[in-house]
Amino acid sequence: MKLDGKDTKIFELMRRELDREEYSLILIASENYVDEDILATQGCVLTNKYAEGYPSRRYYSGCAYLDEIESIAIERAKELFGAEHANVQPHSGSSANMAVFYAVLQPGDTVLGMDIAHGGHLTHGARPSFSGKMYRAVSYPVSARDEMLDYDEIRSIAHKEKPKLIIAGASAYSKVIDFQKFREIADEVGAYFMADIAHIAGLVAAGLHPSPVGHAHFITTTTHKTLRGPRGGLVMCTADLGKKIDSAVFPGIQGGPLMHVIAAKAVALKQAMTEEFREYQRQIVLNAQHMAKCMSDLGFRIVSGGTDNHLFLVDLTPKNVTGNDAQVALEASGIMVNKNLIPFDTRTPNVTSGIRLGTPAITTRGMKEKEMEIICEMIDQVLRHLNDVSFMEKTRVKVRELCASFPFYKRIYDI
Ligand code: DSN
C-alpha cells in the first residue's frame, strides 16, 4: 500500500507512526492492528458520501450502494452476536453509550455504573463526562476482599439508589462479568440494563466470555478493541427498543454516518465469524493468563488475582514504582502500556499505583506464550533501571528485534 502524498509533513508523521506501531510492543489493552482490508475500506471513496437516515430512508440521493453496505453491516452484527436489533452508526463507544442514555433517560435520572477508579468507563457516570454531569450518577465498587464485583453489594446499592439504568462493563476489569445477575438486579428495581462489552466484544463473539444477549436491554461496544475492526461504535438491543435507539443515534445525537467506517465494520464483523478469529481470541486469553502468571512470578501483584480475559492490572506497589514512572520508562524502551489506577488506589489518576497490560495487539502479530515470558522479563528489567537511559536504549533495540521477528505491516508497507 502507498504511504506518501503531497502533504509531506503529515505523510512523514504517518510513516513514523507506522514504524512505531511495527517496531513497538503494544500492550495497551484497548488497541489492536487492523489488516489491509479494513485499512483499504476506511481509506476509500465511501468517505465522500452523505447518507443521513437509515437504509431505504435517506435524506440524500445516490445512497443505493450505501444502503446495501449498511444493511449488510447490520445483519452481520445481528448474526455474530445473536442480537435482535443493531445500529452500526455510532461514531464511537462513547456515542453508542450516549445514544442509550438519550433513548431511555431524562436529564437528572439516576444511573448506576462501575466506579471509574475501580475499572469502569468515563461514560458510565464519571463526573467529567456527560454521563456524570447530566444524570445523577452513582457507582458500585469492586470488593475490597478480592477486587472482584460483589453482586450482593451492587444489589443493595441498586435498591437504595433506584437507578433507571444499570450499566455493566469495564475498561480495566479482568474477571468474568455475570450479565444474568445484573439483569436480575435491574428487574428487581425496574431499571433498564445496558452491557458495555467494548473491551471483551471479540471474546463474546468467539464464545469465550458469556454473552449479554438475552439479559441486557442494550449492548454497546466499540469495534476496534478485541473485535479488531475500524475505530467506531455499535449498539444492539431487543427488537422492541429498536426504534428508540435508532432515533437516538440519528437524529438524536449524530448527523451523517461515516459510511467508510460502517463498511469497514461490516468487513470486521465477517472476519469475526471465522474459525481463525476464534482461535485468535483463544490465544489472546492464553497469552494474558501466561503473562499475568509470569509477572506474578517476578514479584508483581496482579489485581483480582489473575485474568479471565485479554487484560490485567499490575500493582507496582511491591516494586516501589508508580504507574506513571513505569509508563514513561517502558515507552522509552519501546513497550507501550498505560498507567492505571488500581482499586482503592491512594495515588492520583495522573500518577497511579498500577499499569494495565493487554494482549490483543501482540497476539495479532502471532506472539505466543514464549514471547510473553520474554516481554515480562523486559518489563521487569526496565522497572529495575528506571533512570538508566542507556538500559532503555538497549531494551529498545531488543524490542525492535523481537517485533521484526513478528512482522505485521511490513508485508503491506515498505518499512
Ligand atoms: N479508552 C479506552 C481504554 O483504553 O480502555 C476505553 O474507551
Side-chain angles (χ1 to χ4, degrees):
M1 284 169 99
K2 191 168 159 281
L3 199 59
D4 54 20
K6 293 194 193 74
D7 189 336
T8 51
K9 196 161 194 175
I10 289 297
F11 277 90
E12 174 52 23
L13 289 168
M14 283 165 58
R15 268 194 297 271
R16 286 193 199 178
E17 171 61 11
L18 175 61
D19 185 89
R20 187 195 69 83
E21 291 187 18
E22 183 73 0
Y23 294 108
S24 302
L25 290 166
I26 308 287
L27 300 178
I28 294 175
S30 44
E31 295 182 3
N32 213 330
Y33 299 107
V34 297
D35 75 1
E36 54 269 53
D37 287 357
I38 305 244
L39 288 175
T41 323
Q42 276 193 280
C44 79
V45 295
L46 293 169
T47 193
N48 297 330
K49 187 73 192 91
Y50 256 114
E52 283 178 21
Y54 288 102
S56 312
R57 291 178 284 131
R58 306 285 188 186
Y59 289 85
Y60 293 82
S61 58
C63 291
Y65 306 120
L66 306 191
D67 281 359
E68 276 197 57
I69 287 170
E70 185 167 346
S71 299
I72 290 170
I74 290 167
E75 288 312 313
R76 287 182 182 169
K78 286 163 61 179
E79 184 184 341
L80 180 66
F81 290 100
E84 291 176 5
H85 183 87
N87 185 309
V88 294
Q89 292 195 4
H91 300 329
S92 66
S94 295
S95 301
N97 290 348
M98 187 185 268
V100 172
F101 279 59
Y102 196 77
V104 293
L105 301 179
Q106 294 299 320
D109 279 351
T110 300
V111 296
L112 173 61
M114 189 174 186
D115 188 342
I116 192 170
H118 287 216
H121 188 255
L122 197 61
T123 56
H124 296 180
R127 295 283 165 251
S129 118
F130 76 91
S131 60
K133 277 197 161 68
M134 291 174 56
Y135 303 90
R136 180 180 165 269
V138 286
S139 63
Y140 53 86
V142 291
S143 154
R145 191 181 58 252
D146 56 11
E147 297 168 311
M148 294 196 223
L149 293 173
D150 176 342
Y151 295 92
D152 291 336
E153 186 174 9
I154 297 168
R155 172 177 283 110
S156 105
I157 297 171
H159 279 265
K160 179 165 168 271
E161 303 290 352
K162 306 255 180 308
K164 202 162 167 200
L165 176 70
I166 297 181
I167 305 167
S171 287
Y173 184 67
S174 60
K175 307 303 282 185
V176 168
I177 299 174
D178 190 334
F179 295 121
Q180 185 177 344
K181 279 213 178 102
F182 268 104
R183 175 58 186 263
E184 284 164 14
I185 296 168
D187 283 347
E188 286 167 27
V189 300
Y192 284 107
F193 170 41
M194 170 182 125
D196 179 344
I197 60 166
H199 265 269
I200 55 170
L203 304 185
V204 170
L208 299 175
H209 187 290
S211 170
V213 172
H215 305 302
H217 296 98
F218 298 99
I219 299 166
T220 59
T221 185
T222 51
T223 46
H224 51 270
K225 295 187 176 91
T226 48
L227 202 52
R228 206 165 56 178
R231 185 159 296 275
L234 166 66
V235 54
M236 294 169 280
C237 60
T238 48
D240 55 320
L241 293 164
K243 272 202 177 127
K244 260 192 203 301
I245 203 68
D246 284 352
S247 57
V249 174
F250 172 85
I253 63 161
Q254 289 187 176
L258 308 177
M259 292 310 303
H260 53 308
V261 180
I262 288 172
K265 287 175 190 172
V267 172
L269 290 163
K270 185 167 184 209
Q271 290 178 355
M273 290 174 195
T274 60
E275 182 51 34
E276 188 187 345
F277 183 83
R278 285 189 280 276
E279 183 48 39
Y280 161 59
Q281 298 295 321
R282 282 192 279 274
Q283 192 62 47
I284 288 179
V285 178
L286 290 176
N287 282 352
Q289 290 176 337
H290 196 63
M291 195 175 226
K293 182 183 175 305
C294 294
M295 292 301 282
S296 171
D297 290 347
L298 288 163
F300 293 89
R301 191 183 79 80
I302 309 304
V303 171
S304 317
T307 180
D308 300 328
N309 60 29
H310 62 300
L311 63 75
F312 59 96
L313 289 178
V314 182
D315 178 3
L316 301 171
T317 314
K319 302 285 184 176
N320 210 16
V321 177
T322 69
N324 189 52
D325 286 347
Q327 177 180 313
V328 171
L330 289 168
E331 180 174 1
S333 311
I335 302 173
M336 306 297 153
V337 307
N338 65 279
K339 61 188 166 191
N340 217 103
L341 289 174
I342 57 170
F344 311 101
D345 209 321
T346 51
R347 294 192 163 100
T348 64
N350 279 330
V351 181
T352 82
S353 299
I355 50 174
R356 186 182 64 164
L357 302 184
T359 54
I362 52 175
T363 308
T364 289
R365 305 186 73 129
M367 293 185 186
K368 295 204 167 144
E369 285 87 336
K370 183 164 155 263
E371 287 72 40
M372 300 306 115
E373 289 168 23
I374 296 169
I375 294 168
C376 290
E377 192 62 41
M378 287 200 278
I379 292 174
D380 183 47
Q381 285 300 321
V382 169
L383 300 190
R384 286 172 194 269
H385 293 83
L386 268 190
N387 299 309
D388 185 341
V389 174
S390 80
F391 188 86
M392 292 177 211
E393 278 165 7
K394 275 189 217 138
T395 307
R396 183 82 197 84
V397 172
K398 284 192 201 158
V399 166
R400 271 193 95 86
E401 283 167 7
L402 178 58
C403 290
S405 313
F406 291 87
F408 191 70
Y409 287 127
K410 200 169 171 53
R411 65 205 160 87
I412 48 174
Y413 289 113
D414 184 20
I415 42 173

